[in-house]
Amino acid sequence: MKSYDLCECGAPLRLMERETPKPQGSEVLLKVLAAGVCHSDLHISDGYYDMGGGKRVQLLDRGIKLPLTMGHEIVGEVVAGGPEARGVKGGDRRVVFPWIGCGVCNVCQAGEEQLCLAPRSLGVFASGGYSDHVMVPHPRYLIDIGDIAPERAAPLACSGVTTYGALRKVAATMANEPTVIIGAGGLGLMCLGIHKAMGGKGAILVDIDPAKRGAALKAGAMAAIDGNAKDAVAQIVKLTNGGAWAVIDLVGADQTVKLGLASLTKGGKLIVVGLFGGEITLSLPVFPLRAIALQGSYTGSLGELQELVALMRAKGMPEIPVRTRPLTDANEALADLRAGKVIGRVVLTPAAH
Ligand SMILES: [Zn+2]
Ligand SMILES: [Zn+2]
């Protein structure tokens, strides 16, 4: 099997060839039809997260081992299963839930494997989709995509379930009050489309890029606000009749978190999803006095991905631009993403070449 692997942080991926493994036990081997190129792959290949104030978290200190085949947004076609892999057969097309935990701790048993303290996430801690084949430890991580095209279904595994997981945290107010979404790139448009499919009342998108604001309006946002405008908070407060009940920050930078907190009404929630990085100083009395909440959201659970795929099969996928590229373009695809040249999503299609 051929894969493009991260062998050294900060360096281009390298083509590696290995013998294609045979599935053991409950394992399932898939041929990779589509592998989305995600922003977090840039963080992984850089080797660190910016924690603000010059501090960095080194990912190699967090259990990531090189060489690593990245790629956590995977759709594959089942090739073979081990003797204990039930419920799948050759040719089945499945999106892979990549946020796999140890499977035995209380968190995993409760169905929140993405929060396990001993993660085995595909494309992060275990081999992922930048390859012509991928091994999945158990068929329960495979979800039938029906007639959704593989390159459109792949992003559901990260960009989709991440925004769905964040939206679920504000589900109590979503049907009756507008939701503010900061960041109108690929993740923002995914969030907007899923918000609509979930029956959300209206979404206010915030972005500093006029082209992205235009795309958000075209995709059905009720308003699109320039995050750099001096009156950005006042505009949000006006559009929400006094402040937002729910803000989802898909950027996660100093300015966006500050903007999000300032835009909340009493009792409102800010959900931070983005990993841009930075740090802010918080005035603590505002939390009790305004009864606001600041919560992080990391990907989503297996159950949430199952719900999301069912929702998308019933209501249709958001119209997000998707560009497919061969696996051999993996380095160019990452470079384009880093340079801000990608609109929507780039998806590698290893099986097509
Ligand atoms: Zn991702
Ligand atoms: Zn666990």
Side-chain angles (χ1 to χ4, degrees):
M1 82 189 221
K2 286 185 182 154
S3 56
Y4 275 77
D5 289 7
L6 182 69
C7 297
E8 187 190 334
C9 291
L13 307 181
R14 262 190 253 157
L15 174 63
M16 305 281 267
E17 280 192 60
R18 299 180 178 86
E19 200 175 327
T20 309
K22 287 203 167 49
Q24 314 287 323
S26 63
E27 289 177 337
V28 182
L29 179 71
L30 297 104
K31 187 167 80 177
V32 179
L33 301 176
V37 178
C38 175
H39 253 107
S40 59
D41 292 334
L42 295 178
H43 290 294
I44 297 168
S45 64
D46 286 342
Y48 64 88
Y49 286 113
D50 175 7
M51 304 306 279
K55 296 185 289 289
R56 286 176 170 184
V57 164
Q58 299 296 331
L59 298 181
L60 292 180
D61 298 339
R62 292 290 172 105
I64 290 180
K65 292 193 178 65
L66 305 184
L68 169 70
T69 310
M70 297 194 297
H72 50 265
E73 294 186 343
I74 311 162
V75 168
E77 188 176 289
V78 172
V79 175
E84 288 143 43
R86 296 185 220 297
V88 283
K89 58 179 192 314
D92 285 349
R93 291 185 161 200
R94 298 288 185 265
V95 62
V96 180
F97 177 78
W99 311 109
I100 297 173
C102 72
V104 294
C105 72
N106 289 344
V107 174
C108 286
Q109 291 295 315
E112 300 281 351
E113 291 195 44
Q114 79 282 7
L115 303 178
C116 176
L117 299 179
R120 298 184 293 161
S121 317
L122 303 183
V124 184
F125 298 102
S127 297
Y130 289 11
S131 175
D132 48 20
H133 288 82
V134 69
M135 190 71 85
V136 176
H138 195 281
R140 72 169 179 271
Y141 301 116
L142 303 175
I143 302 165
D144 189 351
I145 59 171
D147 52 14
I148 306 175
E151 66 274 17
R152 300 201 78 81
L156 293 176
C158 179
S159 137
V161 81
T162 294
T163 51
Y164 183 72
L167 286 164
R168 283 277 308 262
K169 293 180 173 68
V170 299
T173 56
M174 191 197 297
N176 301 312
E177 300 288 342
T179 301
V180 176
I181 299 167
I182 303 178
L187 203 57
L189 295 180
M190 179 69 91
C191 193
L192 178 61
I194 293 173
H195 175 266
K196 197 170 156 190
M198 290 170 79
K201 184 183 177 186
I204 300 165
L205 273 285
V206 179
D207 205 290
I208 56 173
D209 180 346
K212 288 180 180 161
R213 292 200 298 276
L217 288 173
K218 216 172 131 198
M222 64 179 270
I225 292 172
D226 179 358
N228 275 344
K230 279 204 173 63
D231 65 342
V233 170
Q235 289 185 53
I236 293 170
V237 169
K238 192 170 171 208
L239 283 163
T240 53
N241 287 321
W245 281 96
V247 178
I248 295 176
D249 183 358
L250 302 174
V251 180
D254 311 2
Q255 301 97 307
T256 57
V257 171
K258 281 185 200 158
L259 176 74
L261 285 173
S263 303
L264 295 176
T265 189
K266 283 189 178 179
K269 268 191 194 179
L270 169 63
I271 310 293
V272 181
V273 174
L275 283 164
F276 183 89
E279 62 181 352
I280 62 167
T281 303
L282 294 169
S283 176
L284 299 180
V286 303
F287 283 89
L289 291 174
R290 293 175 59 212
I292 56 174
L294 171 60
Q295 185 177 2
S297 188
Y298 179 73
T299 71
S301 66
L302 175 57
E304 284 173 337
L305 184 57
Q306 288 162 341
E307 287 169 19
L308 175 62
V309 173
L311 186 69
M312 294 294 103
R313 286 179 65 179
K315 304 241 168 157
M317 287 285 297
E319 279 303 315
I320 292 159
V322 171
R323 179 182 173 199
T324 57
R325 299 183 77 158
L327 179 62
T328 47
D329 281 3
N331 280 311
E332 290 80 2
L334 284 168
D336 285 354
L337 187 62
R338 191 182 297 279
K341 287 188 204 157
V342 173
I343 295 168
R345 210 69 169 166
V346 170
V347 177
L348 303 172
T349 54
H353 298 268

